[in-house]
Amino acid sequence: METRAKTVSKTPLLTGHSVEHKRAEIRAYFHQTFSLYESLFDCINSDQAYYLRAEPLRHPLIFYFGHTAVFFINKLLLGKYQTQRLNQRLESMFAIGVDEMSWDDLNSGHYDWPSVADTRAYRDQVRQVVDTLISEMPLTLPITQDSPAWIILMGIEHERIHLETSSVIMRMLPLEYLDAHPLWSACQDSGPAPENSLLSIPAGTVTLGKPATAHTYGWDNEYGQKTVTVGPFKVAKYLVCNGEFLSFVQAGGYQEPEWWSQEGQQWLAYTGATMPRFWQYRYGEYLQRNLLQEMPLPLDWPVEVNYLEAKAFCNWKARQTGTHVRLPTEAEWTVLRNQLDTDQPHWQTAPGNINLEHYASSCPVNRFEHNGISDVVGNVWQWTESPIDGFPGFEVHPLYDDFSTPTFDGRHNLFKGGSWISTGNEATRYARYAFRRHFFQHAGFRYLESNSAEVPVEPVNTYETDELVAQYLEFHYGDNYFDAPNYPKACVQTLLSHTSGLKRGRALDLGCSVGRASFELAIHFDHVDGIDFSARFIQHGFQLKETGHTRFAIPTEGELVEFKEVSLHQLGYGELADKIDFVQGDACNLKARFSGYDLVFCGNLIDRLYDPTLFLQQIHERLNAGGYLVLTSPYTWLEQYTPKEKWLGGIKVNGENVTTFDGLSAVLSQHFTLVAQQDVPFVIRETRRKFQHTLAEMTVWQLK
Amino acid sequence: METRAKTVSKTPLLTGHSVEHKRAEIRAYFHQTFSLYESLFDCINSDQAYYLRAEPLRHPLIFYFGHTAVFFINKLLLGKYQTQRLNQRLESMFAIGVDEMSWDDLNSGHYDWPSVADTRAYRDQVRQVVDTLISEMPLTLPITQDSPAWIILMGIEHERIHLETSSVIMRMLPLEYLDAHPLWSACQDSGPAPENSLLSIPAGTVTLGKPATAHTYGWDNEYGQKTVTVGPFKVAKYLVCNGEFLSFVQAGGYQEPEWWSQEGQQWLAYTGATMPRFWQYRYGEYLQRNLLQEMPLPLDWPVEVNYLEAKAFCNWKARQTGTHVRLPTEAEWTVLRNQLDTDQPHWQTAPGNINLEHYASSCPVNRFEHNGISDVVGNVWQWTESPIDGFPGFEVHPLYDDFSTPTFDGRHNLFKGGSWISTGNEATRYARYAFRRHFFQHAGFRYLESNSAEVPVEPVNTYETDELVAQYLEFHYGDNYFDAPNYPKACVQTLLSHTSGLKRGRALDLGCSVGRASFELAIHFDHVDGIDFSARFIQHGFQLKETGHTRFAIPTEGELVEFKEVSLHQLGYGELADKIDFVQGDACNLKARFSGYDLVFCGNLIDRLYDPTLFLQQIHERLNAGGYLVLTSPYTWLEQYTPKEKWLGGIKVNGENVTTFDGLSAVLSQHFTLVAQQDVPFVIRETRRKFQHTLAEMTVWQLK
């Protein structure tokens, strides 16, 4: 265990009293990480092995050997902390991994990889550059996300992630290419599978998310805050061990589609899997492949499977027991984690098989127990039912804007708790990593029994990337440009100034788009209906009402984007959601129940209707006596929305120019009196530099 | 002649000392015109005749009977001088004529025309409404284009035009439908054709265009000013009379394609014409159809033909004489007209068969002679070689924006001088009417002999209606919006402020579009080359340089447009044209001769190139030592212009965000030093209410 102790380190605190001590601590952490990473590759006894594609979904190990060094340089260049490339070719080849590929999306690229020696020489160069930078960089405490030390820590923690993922790939290399290594020795203990049992956990409330004030480095997806009410459940004492999982395998679990999700069945069909990835069955015996050697299947070690296999096991187990068996959600896992009141870097000794403090492999599932539950952290990662999502308040780090956001797609599930090789940030309570559900890591699972068949996960709040919808989200909820005030707010304020005696009962926001005016009207009215023709748009108003927040990505330049989040709370609409209904509907064919309004507001609607005259002829029926109709529009008629023969204006009629205002007046004058007419400007951002700047005309009409 | 005298009137002066006298004068002029028009229709003895389509390219006479009344109402409504329609149905049916149709574009619409009695009753209503309006309208003197009296005069003069065009249609009605009428009696005199002869006219200079200060009503196309140098020519003493034209007919002129233009041949093929439209050949005798009766072909009356026939005659005549025979241009006609020093409304008696002062028909061509030339004005209109165009300074009248502009298309030729039935504005010297070249009116021609085969007409300055090109013309030469200064000017001023020591020899404006920056640079440089990839755009820079002005129409709302004209003179570039060459070219493949520049300016070019890197790698070769490269761009990359793999930035490279500025710097740093970087805003108008508002980045690079 003496050699093992050398590998132990802890992620530095961002705080401290001495800048130079902190500088020294960071330098030590950097070199320790760089060396530890290289020591893993030292297990490889032949350069040839660096180029094998043991796993067709991943690059060969040579990529990962170079990648963690290149990452430092590329991020330092992006942050302008470094001005020169060291090696243009290597810094391009080693830049982009393929971790996120689907199993049916094989990478068939040909790579002319550099030699191991060249790569090692490059690593040495980088080590020197980073060392110098650490020595010379400006440093104040505490370290914040915009300081150069944060980028150094980002590079270090990034390398610690790849320490783990590279070790997974090495578990797939033929053993002949690997030698034993004193730092990387596996646990030697194994025995019969312990009998699993269930512990009752009472209902409670947990708060998820790493506080902005936390004192350790975190990845963007860890921050923000979300409070979740968790119902009571019964949880398995042990992670599912190889022995427990073997029953499923021997019961023909891999051959029975019933236990597998549709995605699981597709994966089975593609891989032909019949047992976990690191098992083998040879000469009547099950074996397990560890990092550097094989052993007879250790029945009391945790099984290592992907989410799809874990879920299939649960479904099978549920049938066996007649109960609702499933994986924990992120919140349920957190309830268990909260029973453990220590965390890296504060613990003296790891409270589980984690941080390389105990083994360079898994160990029996009954080795580390706390409050009756084993392996709350460590041993293997624990899959959850929760697709990864940003917490409310999530913000992308500008120098790594694709670390998390591409995984907020509902197809990446979180696992929690860390494995024996999870170190640094990975070994902290807030660490959240997510992979596609078919991916293998040093990951297994614990199951629970729920009162209900329902799995309490929320749909993922994906980033709206539809360019038009995202434009409108920014238009309604984003920044102001060219001094034009927020348009939906300005419209509501302006219309209120022109509608004396307006009753504040029911309001209709027709053509509500992504909904800002509906919220704004709800400040003043008892009830607001927001109606839009397009589900693509109105879903965001609906989502804001239901979940309190929504997200979108807007172009900055070319294909580059900026990520944005809005929340009702920040907008000051926290208490208004119950006053609003968002409904998909057709302004020209409104359902009868949409009537009895004191106000009908149509923002930028009239020139997007397929029959504006029909709409205007009927709308008076929806208003209460003395009610107001308010229209705003830039009168941008387009044949894609409105056939030319239906345009209200902007046309020649009987040879004479007719403006839209003329046309509006002609149709509305029967039932309405015009009480105000005013320009209201608005700006829609297309890119960081290009905007639509428009002057809408507001006309205010009172029912005669 | 007593009855004829009653028909004589004169267009009122816009000036005067007594408002009430002027009001009375206008009222009298209105009623006189309205009654005169009705008296023409009184010649029709059967309501049935109102519905015949004597001429398939025109509406039946019932349309024209109603149309001149409806015109008053529609224009008064448009001008907001009238708020209510009198009769929605009639005001729609009688609104739009088909005067401008081509012969192969027959109107096959079905019309449910109203009765003559209803139309007459409607006319009575209108007469009352207009009479009341004249009595009650605010009136100050002089009358200006924005006063209600102008609209009344517009309606009156419009009716006087249709007095003439309706009389042409009546000449096509079968005689059985027409009765003699004391007001509409033809000239009774005819005799042998006089021998024509040629008079020498010395070279000179004429100024065309009605001064803005003129004291009579004018149509928009009459205003503006153009000075033309006219070479010497010999002009025919007489209009070509029937006798002279008969030689051409009898020589087989209508059967010989050689004399006819391509357009003339197409017209011949379509109509099968063998002689002028109002001639007939029956029982061995040529006859002429006048307004209300036929007569044996009066050989000494002017022949009435369209432009195509007149031109064919000239071509035949040229061959006969071995000289350059053609029609006069507008300027040449004006030289002749300038010999007559009186004009309506100032003359006591018309100096020709015009203004209904003499006959309700043509008369012999030797009846009115002045300085040796007969029929300088009157008898029949005289076709010219000039397609109608607006003079520099032309402005559309906002209440009648399609009176002239649709005819500025190179397919409408002017005729001048007026006919026996030309009254009011038509009988003034500045009157200019144009019809398609195949159209018939009471129109004939006078020929001249020129020294040269060249016809001195300029290409028509058509309105640019291509939406994108027109947008750019407004962007470069039009109004400023949202306080953003003119962009090409601002670019030049800004780049001059950042280029100390810049030599002022040769400058290159690459991607010059419609050319404003080239003119602006020419203020400061000895020579400027303006190069653009698109001929659609650069043609306007070229046209400005060559002719001093260009025109375009920009959308206001929907399909409605606003007409604009720019001139070098107004822009202050009057003396710069010789310093600029505009050439179509490819920035990525510049011809060798484009080099030796002190400045290369690329305004909004870089993100529109198909290979921006190639361009940037080579451009240093075009600069003199110490020269500057100035780029401005909003970095709006679009795959329609630049394949994504060629984008300079706005992309991820090796997984990291690369901005366009990063990309520019990487390529240019070998040969250039960055000396300045600054935002420059610009606004492009799409409609009256919708704009693109953009922040370009200017980067200034000096050659190392």
Side-chain angles (χ1 to χ4, degrees):
Chain A
M1 301 312 279
E2 184 51 31
T3 50
R4 169 79 356 87
K6 288 186 194 165
T7 67
V8 176
S9 66
K10 292 174 183 166
T11 194
L13 291 176
L14 304 173
T15 52
H17 298 293
S18 161
V19 163
E20 290 317 313
H21 282 162
K22 190 59 62 179
R23 199 185 292 280
E25 183 186 357
I26 293 171
R27 186 190 292 107
Y29 188 53
F30 164 67
H31 285 293
Q32 199 269 354
T33 305
F34 222 68
S35 298
L36 180 65
Y37 192 67
E38 289 172 357
S39 82
L40 180 68
F41 286 80
D42 287 345
C43 301
I44 301 171
N45 61 23
S46 155
D47 283 2
Q48 194 187 337
Y50 281 84
Y51 304 92
L52 297 175
R53 289 280 287 278
E55 163 58 59
L57 299 186
R58 312 292 288 267
H59 279 314
L61 284 161
I62 188 68
F63 170 83
Y64 294 97
F65 192 48
H67 174 61
T68 57
V70 158
F71 182 91
F72 277 100
I73 301 304
N74 282 342
K75 291 303 178 196
L76 290 171
L77 282 164
L78 189 63
K80 317 282 188 208
Y81 300 116
Q82 169 82 8
T83 56
Q84 292 291 316
R85 293 209 162 276
L86 307 189
N87 184 317
Q88 173 90 44
R89 177 165 162 266
L90 296 197
E91 284 156 11
S92 172
M93 295 191 77
F94 288 148
I96 306 176
V98 287
D99 287 340
E100 294 307 325
M101 285 165 46
S102 179
W103 70 80
D104 47 1
D105 180 25
L106 294 183
N107 181 355
S108 58
H110 291 284
Y111 295 87
D112 183 20
W113 297 111
S115 72
V116 175
D118 286 351
T119 306
R120 188 169 285 123
Y122 176 79
R123 286 188 62 90
D124 292 345
Q125 262 189 293
V126 171
R127 189 192 280 257
Q128 191 52 55
V129 164
V130 175
D131 181 273
T132 304
L133 184 66
I134 293 171
S135 300
E136 297 176 357
M137 67 185 178
L139 180 62
T140 53
L141 297 177
I143 295 165
T144 55
Q145 297 213 9
D146 54 359
S147 67
W150 189 272
I151 308 310
I152 300 297
L153 291 175
M154 180 185 282
I156 297 171
E157 296 297 349
H158 172 262
E159 187 155 44
R160 287 188 174 269
I161 292 173
H162 281 292
L163 178 71
E164 174 148 3
T165 64
S166 297
S167 75
V168 174
I169 296 175
M170 283 170 67
R171 283 181 80 180
M172 300 171 179
L173 268 190
L175 281 174
E176 64 195 270
Y177 296 110
L178 296 166
D179 287 340
H181 188 296
L183 281 181
W184 298 103
S185 53
C187 175
Q188 301 301 315
D189 311 333
S190 70
E195 184 81 14
N196 218 339
S197 60
L198 295 171
L199 273 80
S200 285
I201 306 292
T205 297
V206 285
T207 297
L208 308 180
K210 181 168 186 158
T213 54
H215 289 177
T216 52
Y217 176 89
W219 298 104
D220 56 3
N221 67 48
E222 299 173 31
Y223 296 97
Q225 186 176 316
K226 185 175 185 178
T227 299
V228 182
T229 303
V230 180
F233 59 94
K234 292 180 187 164
V235 72
K237 176 182 178 66
Y238 300 119
L239 298 180
V240 173
C241 65
N242 284 322
E244 190 169 9
F245 198 83
L246 184 60
S247 315
F248 172 66
V249 173
Q250 291 180 330
Y254 279 73
Q255 287 76 46
E256 179 49 69
E258 185 181 357
W259 313 131
W260 298 79
S261 65
Q262 192 173 6
E263 186 183 348
Q265 292 176 35
Q266 288 167 350
W267 174 79
L268 269 185
Y270 172 72
T271 59
T274 58
M275 65 183 76
R277 176 68 175 81
F278 296 110
W279 290 14
Q280 287 192 42
Y281 186 73
R282 283 211 305 271
Y283 308 113
E285 189 187 18
Y286 283 100
L287 304 170
Q288 171 160 314
R289 167 61 188 270
N290 296 322
L291 177 62
L292 301 176
Q293 82 285 98
E294 276 179 356
M295 66 193 295
L297 187 67
L299 294 174
D300 58 348
W301 288 22
V303 71
E304 289 160 295
V305 290
N306 64 27
Y307 169 88
L308 302 171
E309 293 167 294
K311 188 70 180 170
F313 174 91
C314 290
N315 291 340
W316 170 78
K317 180 85 180 171
R319 178 71 59 86
Q320 303 297 110
T321 59
T323 59
H324 302 300
V325 178
R326 59 169 171 79
L327 305 173
T329 63
E330 181 179 21
E332 288 160 344
W333 180 88
T334 305
V335 168
L336 305 181
R337 179 65 180 80
N338 283 349
Q339 301 191 4
L340 196 61
D341 62 357
T342 186
D343 197 11
Q344 210 246 54
H346 302 291
W347 65 49
Q348 285 299 315
T349 304
N353 182 14
I354 194 169
N355 205 35
L356 285 173
E357 292 189 34
H358 299 284
Y359 306 105
S361 72
S362 299
C363 71
V365 296
N366 51 8
R367 180 67 47 98
F368 296 94
E369 181 184 321
H370 193 84
N371 283 356
I373 305 178
S374 287
D375 295 330
V376 173
V377 300
N379 223 355
V380 294
W381 290 93
Q382 303 168 41
W383 283 105
T384 74
E385 295 282 5
S386 304
I388 190 171
D389 199 357
F391 297 123
F394 169 77
E395 283 178 52
V396 165
H397 192 282
L399 294 188
Y400 203 170
D401 68 3
D402 55 358
F403 180 79
S404 299
T405 51
T407 68
F408 297 173
D409 62 356
R411 296 188 294 180
H412 289 73
N413 272 46
L414 276 168
F415 52 41
K416 293 288 292 184
S419 78
W420 53 270
I421 198 176
S422 297
T423 61
N425 167 274
E426 288 187 300
T428 66
R429 62 178 294 136
Y430 296 112
R432 348 171 44 220
Y433 290 89
F435 288 91
R436 287 180 186 254
R437 289 183 279 265
H438 66 278
F439 239 66
F440 293 110
Q441 290 293 313
H442 307 304
F445 66 109
R446 182 194 311 277
Y447 55 84
L448 60 71
E449 230 183 73
S450 165
N451 290 335
S452 150
E454 191 195 357
V455 183
V457 292
E458 288 172 16
V460 170
N461 198 341
T462 53
Y463 279 87
E464 178 62 76
T465 56
D466 176 305
E467 205 165 305
L468 195 62
V469 179
Q471 262 179 19
Y472 271 76
L473 283 162
E474 175 70 7
F475 174 32
H476 278 213
Y477 300 106
D479 294 330
N480 296 343
Y481 302 97
F482 300 119
D483 299 329
N486 179 276
Y487 182 64
K489 281 183 73 161
C491 283
V492 170
Q493 282 159 14
T494 307
L495 75 85
L496 289 175
S497 76
H498 291 306
T499 48
S500 59
L502 173 64
K503 291 188 183 129
R504 304 292 175 90
R506 287 160 56 79
L508 175 61
D509 179 12
L510 204 46
C512 65
S513 180
V514 294
R516 178 74 180 261
S518 296
F519 287 104
E520 199 64 26
L521 287 169
I523 296 172
H524 307 281
F525 285 80
D526 297 337
H527 178 82
V528 179
D529 287 318
I531 297 181
D532 201 87
F533 196 70
S534 166
R536 274 160 75 213
F537 288 82
I538 204 171
Q539 65 174 339
H540 287 280
F542 186 77
Q543 185 178 337
L544 271 166
K545 169 184 152 72
E546 294 293 318
T547 72
H549 43 91
T550 196
R551 297 199 182 113
F552 53 101
I554 53 174
T556 55
E557 188 182 308
E559 66 175 15
L560 304 181
V561 298
E562 184 175 325
F563 295 93
K564 295 243 183 172
E565 178 181 88
V566 293
S567 81
L568 284 194
H569 182 72
Q570 285 165 346
L571 294 166
Y573 300 148
E575 308 303 314
L576 300 176
D578 291 344
K579 297 169 83 177
I580 305 174
D581 283 336
F582 286 110
V583 187
Q584 196 272 340
D586 176 359
C588 297
N589 189 21
L590 275 184
K591 291 198 173 69
R593 69 183 170 99
F594 297 112
S595 59
Y597 295 107
D598 299 307
L599 171 74
V600 174
F601 170 62
C602 307
N604 295 6
L605 172 74
I606 198 76
D607 54 2
R608 290 298 171 266
L609 296 177
Y610 60 82
D611 194 342
T613 300
L614 178 70
F615 164 72
L616 293 172
Q617 284 168 342
Q618 299 175 344
I619 193 63
H620 65 95
E621 300 166 5
R622 310 307 177 122
L623 281 165
N624 295 332
Y628 286 89
L629 170 68
V630 177
L631 308 173
T632 66
S633 172
Y635 308 144
T636 311
W637 297 100
L638 294 171
E639 292 200 82
Q640 67 187 104
Y641 299 106
T642 317
K644 199 178 241 179
E645 66 271 19
K646 299 284 189 186
W647 293 6
L648 286 172
I651 44 172
K652 297 237 176 202
V653 177
N654 298 335
E656 304 299 351
N657 293 344
V658 172
T659 66
T660 304
F661 179 71
D662 294 337
L664 281 176
S665 303
V667 183
L668 289 177
S669 56
Q670 190 186 349
H671 295 289
F672 291 93
T673 307
L674 177 70
V675 298
Q677 186 176 10
Q678 180 176 335
D679 281 353
V680 186
F682 65 87
V683 175
I684 295 179
R685 169 179 154 153
E686 294 184 2
T687 72
R688 194 158 55 87
R689 293 184 167 277
K690 185 160 186 286
F691 305 82
Q692 299 166 24
H693 199 159
T694 307
L695 294 173
E697 179 168 76
M698 175 182 287
T699 53
V700 181
W701 308 83
Q702 187 168 24
L703 196 62
K704 281 180 182 169
Chain B
M1 301 311 279
E2 183 53 30
T3 50
R4 167 80 356 89
K6 287 186 196 167
T7 67
V8 175
S9 64
K10 292 175 183 165
T11 195
L13 290 176
L14 304 172
T15 51
H17 299 293
S18 160
V19 163
E20 289 318 313
H21 282 164
K22 190 58 62 179
R23 199 185 291 280
E25 183 186 358
I26 293 171
R27 186 190 291 106
Y29 188 52
F30 164 68
H31 284 292
Q32 198 268 354
T33 305
F34 222 69
S35 298
L36 180 64
Y37 193 67
E38 290 173 357
S39 83
L40 179 68
F41 286 80
D42 287 344
C43 301
I44 302 172
N45 61 22
S46 155
D47 282 1
Q48 193 187 337
Y50 280 84
Y51 304 92
L52 297 176
R53 290 279 286 277
E55 164 57 60
L57 299 186
R58 312 293 288 265
H59 279 312
L61 283 161
I62 187 69
F63 169 83
Y64 294 97
F65 192 47
H67 174 62
T68 57
V70 159
F71 182 91
F72 278 101
I73 300 304
N74 282 342
K75 291 302 180 197
L76 290 171
L77 282 165
L78 189 64
K80 317 282 189 209
Y81 301 117
Q82 169 81 9
T83 56
Q84 292 292 315
R85 294 209 163 276
L86 308 189
N87 184 320
Q88 173 89 45
R89 177 167 163 266
L90 295 197
E91 285 156 11
S92 172
M93 293 192 77
F94 287 148
I96 307 175
V98 288
D99 286 340
E100 293 308 326
M101 283 164 47
S102 179
W103 70 80
D104 49 0
D105 180 24
L106 294 182
N107 182 356
S108 56
H110 290 283
Y111 295 87
D112 182 20
W113 297 112
S115 72
V116 175
D118 285 352
T119 306
R120 188 169 284 122
Y122 176 79
R123 285 188 63 88
D124 291 345
Q125 262 189 293
V126 171
R127 190 192 280 258
Q128 191 53 55
V129 164
V130 175
D131 181 273
T132 303
L133 184 67
I134 294 171
S135 300
E136 297 175 356
M137 67 185 178
L139 180 62
T140 54
L141 296 177
I143 295 165
T144 56
Q145 297 214 11
D146 55 359
S147 67
W150 189 272
I151 307 310
I152 300 296
L153 291 174
M154 180 185 282
I156 296 170
E157 296 298 349
H158 171 263
E159 187 155 45
R160 287 189 174 268
I161 293 173
H162 281 291
L163 177 72
E164 173 148 2
T165 64
S166 297
S167 76
V168 174
I169 295 175
M170 284 170 65
R171 284 180 78 180
M172 300 171 180
L173 267 191
L175 280 174
E176 64 197 90
Y177 296 111
L178 296 165
D179 286 341
H181 188 294
L183 280 181
W184 298 102
S185 53
C187 174
Q188 301 301 314
D189 311 332
S190 70
E195 183 82 14
N196 218 337
S197 59
L198 294 171
L199 272 81
S200 286
I201 306 292
T205 297
V206 285
T207 297
L208 308 181
K210 181 169 186 158
T213 54
H215 289 178
T216 53
Y217 175 90
W219 298 104
D220 55 4
N221 68 49
E222 299 172 31
Y223 295 98
Q225 186 176 314
K226 184 175 187 177
T227 300
V228 182
T229 303
V230 180
F233 59 93
K234 293 179 186 166
V235 72
K237 176 182 179 67
Y238 300 119
L239 297 180
V240 174
C241 64
N242 284 322
E244 190 168 9
F245 198 83
L246 185 61
S247 314
F248 172 65
V249 173
Q250 291 180 332
Y254 279 72
Q255 288 75 47
E256 180 48 71
E258 185 180 357
W259 313 132
W260 298 78
S261 65
Q262 191 173 7
E263 184 183 348
Q265 292 176 36
Q266 288 168 349
W267 173 79
L268 269 185
Y270 172 73
T271 60
T274 58
M275 65 183 75
R277 178 66 176 83
F278 296 110
W279 289 13
Q280 287 193 42
Y281 186 73
R282 282 212 302 272
Y283 308 114
E285 188 187 16
Y286 283 100
L287 305 171
Q288 170 160 314
R289 168 61 189 267
N290 295 322
L291 178 61
L292 301 176
Q293 82 284 97
E294 277 178 355
M295 67 194 292
L297 187 67
L299 295 174
D300 56 350
W301 288 21
V303 69
E304 289 159 297
V305 291
N306 63 29
Y307 169 89
L308 302 171
E309 294 167 294
K311 188 69 181 171
F313 173 92
C314 290
N315 291 339
W316 170 80
K317 181 85 180 170
R319 178 71 60 84
Q320 303 297 111
T321 59
T323 59
H324 302 300
V325 177
R326 59 169 171 80
L327 306 174
T329 64
E330 181 179 22
E332 288 161 343
W333 180 87
T334 305
V335 168
L336 305 182
R337 178 63 180 81
N338 284 349
Q339 300 193 4
L340 195 61
D341 63 357
T342 186
D343 196 12
Q344 210 246 54
H346 303 290
W347 64 50
Q348 286 299 316
T349 304
N353 182 15
I354 194 169
N355 206 34
L356 285 173
E357 292 188 35
H358 300 283
Y359 307 105
S361 72
S362 300
C363 72
V365 296
N366 51 7
R367 178 70 43 102
F368 296 93
E369 181 183 321
H370 192 84
N371 284 356
I373 306 178
S374 288
D375 296 329
V376 173
V377 298
N379 224 354
V380 295
W381 291 93
Q382 302 169 43
W383 284 105
T384 75
E385 295 282 5
S386 303
I388 190 172
D389 199 358
F391 297 123
F394 170 78
E395 283 178 51
V396 166
H397 192 282
L399 294 188
Y400 203 172
D401 67 3
D402 56 357
F403 180 80
S404 299
T405 52
T407 69
F408 296 172
D409 62 357
R411 296 189 293 180
H412 289 73
N413 272 46
L414 276 167
F415 51 41
K416 294 287 292 183
S419 79
W420 53 270
I421 196 176
S422 297
T423 61
N425 166 275
E426 288 186 300
T428 66
R429 62 177 295 137
Y430 296 111
R432 2 177 22 229
Y433 291 89
F435 288 91
R436 287 180 185 255
R437 290 184 277 266
H438 66 277
F439 238 66
F440 293 111
Q441 290 292 312
H442 308 302
F445 65 108
R446 183 193 311 276
Y447 56 83
L448 58 71
E449 233 183 70
S450 165
N451 291 335
S452 152
E454 191 196 356
V455 183
V457 293
E458 288 172 14
V460 170
N461 198 341
T462 54
Y463 280 87
E464 178 62 75
T465 57
D466 176 306
E467 205 165 304
L468 195 62
V469 180
Q471 260 179 19
Y472 271 75
L473 283 161
E474 176 70 8
F475 173 33
H476 278 212
Y477 299 106
D479 294 330
N480 296 343
Y481 302 98
F482 298 118
D483 299 327
N486 179 276
Y487 182 64
K489 282 183 72 161
C491 284
V492 171
Q493 283 159 14
T494 306
L495 76 85
L496 289 175
S497 76
H498 291 305
T499 47
S500 58
L502 174 64
K503 291 188 184 129
R504 304 292 176 90
R506 287 161 54 78
L508 174 62
D509 179 12
L510 204 45
C512 67
S513 180
V514 295
R516 177 74 181 259
S518 295
F519 287 104
E520 198 65 25
L521 287 169
I523 296 172
H524 307 281
F525 284 80
D526 296 338
H527 178 81
V528 179
D529 286 318
I531 297 183
D532 201 89
F533 196 72
S534 167
R536 275 160 74 211
F537 287 82
I538 204 170
Q539 65 174 337
H540 287 281
F542 186 78
Q543 186 178 335
L544 270 167
K545 168 184 153 73
E546 293 294 318
T547 72
H549 42 90
T550 195
R551 296 198 181 114
F552 54 101
I554 53 174
T556 56
E557 188 183 309
E559 66 174 16
L560 304 182
V561 298
E562 184 175 326
F563 296 93
K564 294 243 181 171
E565 178 180 88
V566 294
S567 81
L568 284 194
H569 182 72
Q570 285 166 345
L571 294 167
Y573 300 147
E575 308 303 315
L576 301 176
D578 292 345
K579 297 169 83 176
I580 306 175
D581 282 337
F582 286 109
V583 187
Q584 196 271 340
D586 177 359
C588 297
N589 189 20
L590 275 184
K591 291 197 172 70
R593 68 182 170 99
F594 296 112
S595 58
Y597 295 107
D598 300 307
L599 171 74
V600 174
F601 170 62
C602 308
N604 294 5
L605 172 74
I606 197 77
D607 54 1
R608 291 297 172 269
L609 297 177
Y610 60 81
D611 193 343
T613 300
L614 178 70
F615 165 72
L616 293 172
Q617 285 169 341
Q618 299 175 342
I619 193 64
H620 64 95
E621 300 167 4
R622 309 306 176 124
L623 281 165
N624 295 332
Y628 286 89
L629 170 68
V630 177
L631 309 173
T632 67
S633 171
Y635 308 142
T636 311
W637 297 101
L638 294 171
E639 292 200 81
Q640 70 187 102
Y641 299 105
T642 317
K644 199 178 239 178
E645 65 271 19
K646 299 284 189 187
W647 292 7
L648 286 173
I651 44 172
K652 297 236 175 204
V653 176
N654 297 335
E656 305 298 350
N657 294 343
V658 172
T659 67
T660 304
F661 178 72
D662 294 337
L664 281 176
S665 304
V667 183
L668 290 176
S669 55
Q670 190 186 351
H671 295 289
F672 291 93
T673 307
L674 177 70
V675 298
Q677 185 175 10
Q678 179 176 336
D679 281 353
V680 187
F682 66 86
V683 176
I684 295 180
R685 170 179 154 154
E686 294 184 3
T687 72
R688 193 157 57 86
R689 293 184 167 275
K690 186 161 186 286
F691 305 82
Q692 300 166 24
H693 198 159
T694 307
L695 294 173
E697 179 168 75
M698 174 181 286
T699 54
V700 181
W701 308 82
Q702 188 168 23
L703 197 61
K704 281 178 182 171

